Amino acid sequence: MQAAPAQTQHAPLAPHATVPTDQACRDRLGRPLRDLRLSVIDQCNFRCTYCMPKERFGRDYPFLTAQQRLSDTELLRIVRAFVGLGVEKVRLTGGEPLLRKGIEALVEAIASLRTRGGKQVEVAMTTNGSLLARKARALRDAGLGRVTVSLDSLDDGVFRAMNDVGFPVARVLEGIDAACAAGLAPVKVNCVVERGTNDAQVLPLVEHFRGSGVTLRFIEYMDVEGPRGWSQSRVVPSGEIRAMVERAHALLPVARRDAETASNYLLADGSLKLGFISSVSHPFCGDCTRARVSVDGRLHLCLFATSSVDLRPHLSAHRPAEALAEAISQAWQARGDRYSELRAESRAERLASGKRQYPTVRMSLVGG
Ligand code: SAM
Ligand code: SF4
Ligand code: SF4
């Protein structure tokens, strides 16, 4: 396992209780800007084979330096601008967000912002859970509302092989328990299913989380920049995963809420809520209301976009806050990305050529 990276010392945060107001911001396809996914670090203590394979993300990999990473004050400025444009939910991600020093202070500052409607901004986090057992309570106290923990297997051998740093599954399970005990509810558990690697773990995960209050979500393996060996044949479509569950349990569909990425089901006895995220087999670009900002201050309009907008020129202390909001708003209004839909439309062609047709960006930089 790698040690937590050193961080620069940042000035104390100055949270603001109010934010500037603006009109609702919609992109070219009419999708409103609703959520922000903020990647707070590009490094990780895992080397999940589907995200940061060791052979590509080795010791000499050029991760962002401390100087290239935005300070908490700069990140907060960005969040404030998004909130002013109507964003109400901020998800912190990475790399591994809990490796960022002082993450609790950042959570606290974001949670102290108010939406345009005067509500507290919702702060959530996606984490690999490795440091959650000791941090869950402090994060909750800082204002974190919800947490999603990635967990691909209950079998320790399979889990260690997938995180590829030999991290034991028991410690992630402790983290999930600590998150539940701290009230970071509803705790969600995300499992990326890869054919031939962990597809036999679907039912054990279902059985393990029945009655726990946790929502279990299965994610199709995506062709993001990172995994070298991605191929369509290693994707287990959600329909197939659901059929595996249905051989053991009856499922009841749950109505989908607006802009929700998962199709949700309940085990008929009510003991577990399940979600299926079908970004490969059933893309949901039409509902994609999420902006992503990486820790180097770049705005990514799509998980698969190769170009991004540099927000750093608008972050200096003498630039007005409005300039940053204007840059974000303009970029969003010009957005027409719908990569997953295009991929689905061109699948036959791609399968014939055996190649990906569209370039992608590093998942550990943009944060999923
Ligand atoms: N390190 C944290 C974690 O693992 O939860 C946060 C960052 S990680 C990039 C965010 C999410 O992306 C995780 O749930 C992970 O499983 C998912 N992910 C990474 N690579 C993926 C891939 N190739 N296909 C589908 N999901 C992927
Ligand atoms: Fe790290 Fe998360 Fe990527 Fe795994 S999925 S390598 S835990 S960033
Ligand atoms: Fe959103 Fe891009 Fe994913 Fe489509 S492919 S759902 S536009 S991030």
Side-chain angles (χ1 to χ4, degrees):
M1 230 174 64
Q2 293 195 335
Q7 298 276 312
T8 40
Q9 289 299 310
H10 304 310
L13 299 176
H16 292 234
T18 56
V19 292
T21 57
D22 202 341
Q23 294 303 305
C25 189
R26 287 185 182 266
D27 71 9
R28 283 199 288 141
L29 303 178
R31 298 169 294 189
L33 172 56
R34 291 240 188 279
D35 320 271
L36 172 63
R37 203 169 259 243
L38 185 65
S39 176
V40 296
I41 188 164
D42 68 332
Q43 299 190 35
C44 187
N45 54 344
F46 283 13
R47 286 292 177 272
C48 301
T49 47
Y50 54 74
C51 176
M52 296 176 81
K54 256 184 187 164
E55 62 273 23
R56 287 198 42 209
F57 294 85
R59 286 192 183 282
D60 52 351
Y61 188 83
F63 287 104
L64 298 174
T65 61
Q67 288 69 32
Q68 289 170 312
R69 292 195 293 263
L70 296 187
S71 67
D72 285 2
T73 306
E74 290 168 318
L75 290 178
L76 191 61
R77 265 192 102 177
I78 290 178
V79 175
R80 199 179 294 124
F82 273 97
V83 170
L85 291 168
V87 160
E88 302 193 340
K89 290 184 201 154
V90 179
R91 177 168 293 275
L92 303 179
T93 177
E96 174 44 43
L98 292 181
L99 289 182
R100 186 174 170 109
K101 265 205 185 141
I103 186 72
E104 297 85 351
L106 183 61
V107 167
E108 190 170 1
I110 296 173
S112 75
L113 296 175
R114 292 287 171 268
T115 67
R116 293 192 309 191
K119 292 186 295 180
Q120 188 178 340
V121 168
E122 283 181 42
V123 192
M125 181 180 287
T126 303
T127 168
N128 63 24
S130 58
L131 301 171
L132 198 53
R134 64 171 193 258
K135 286 191 175 256
R137 175 65 60 183
L139 288 165
R140 172 75 242 187
D141 292 347
L144 188 71
R146 285 176 297 131
V147 75
T148 298
V149 183
S150 302
L151 173 69
D152 301 319
S153 170
L154 279 180
D155 178 284
D156 195 51
V158 175
F159 186 69
R160 285 176 191 254
M162 286 185 83
N163 65 55
D164 213 10
V165 293
F167 198 89
V169 71
R171 294 209 7 226
V172 176
L173 292 172
E174 279 168 27
I176 293 170
D177 288 346
C180 293
L184 290 167
V187 174
K188 291 181 183 164
V189 168
N190 275 359
C191 169
V192 176
V193 184
E194 194 181 332
R195 194 181 300 285
T197 303
N198 66 335
D199 40 352
Q201 288 298 304
V202 168
L203 276 178
L205 282 163
V206 168
E207 298 307 336
H208 180 87
F209 287 111
R210 283 175 74 193
S212 67
V214 160
T215 298
L216 177 61
R217 305 191 314 168
F218 293 108
I219 304 180
E220 290 177 350
Y221 178 27
M222 288 189 288
D223 53 335
V224 282
E225 179 69 41
R228 251 219 313 237
W230 186 90
S231 76
Q232 186 81 37
S233 63
R234 293 167 74 181
V235 179
V236 186
S238 291
E240 195 178 322
I241 305 172
R242 208 176 65 227
M244 288 180 203
V245 180
E246 280 177 322
R247 282 198 280 277
H249 300 282
L251 292 181
L252 303 173
V254 176
R256 200 171 174 143
R257 282 174 303 161
D258 268 3
E260 202 170 13
T261 50
S263 304
N264 296 313
Y265 290 81
L266 257 185
L267 258 58
D269 65 1
S271 61
L272 181 66
K273 189 172 169 191
L274 283 178
F276 297 94
I277 301 182
S278 319
S279 30
V280 180
S281 63
H282 288 97
F284 37 80
C285 300
D287 290 330
C288 187
T289 56
R290 191 172 288 168
R292 295 172 163 86
V293 172
S294 45
V295 69
D296 53 355
R298 303 195 75 94
L299 167 62
H300 306 260
L301 297 166
C302 170
L303 189 49
F304 297 90
T306 43
S307 62
S308 52
V309 179
D310 191 0
L311 299 178
R312 282 171 302 190
H314 306 289
L315 286 174
S316 79
H318 30 266
R319 291 278 292 161
E322 294 73 26
L324 177 60
E326 184 57 27
I328 296 167
S329 168
Q330 276 184 12
W332 188 265
Q333 288 176 60
R335 175 185 190 243
D337 303 74
R338 52 184 205 97
Y339 167 85
S340 289
E341 287 181 352
L342 293 177
R343 172 184 50 201
E345 285 164 16
S346 68
R347 182 170 301 152
E349 223 174 288
R350 258 181 345 102
L351 280 177
S353 71
K355 287 195 186 127
R356 286 191 300 203
Q357 248 182 323
Y358 299 96
T360 57
V361 76
R362 172 160 70 96
M363 191 75 148
S364 50
L365 176 67
V366 181

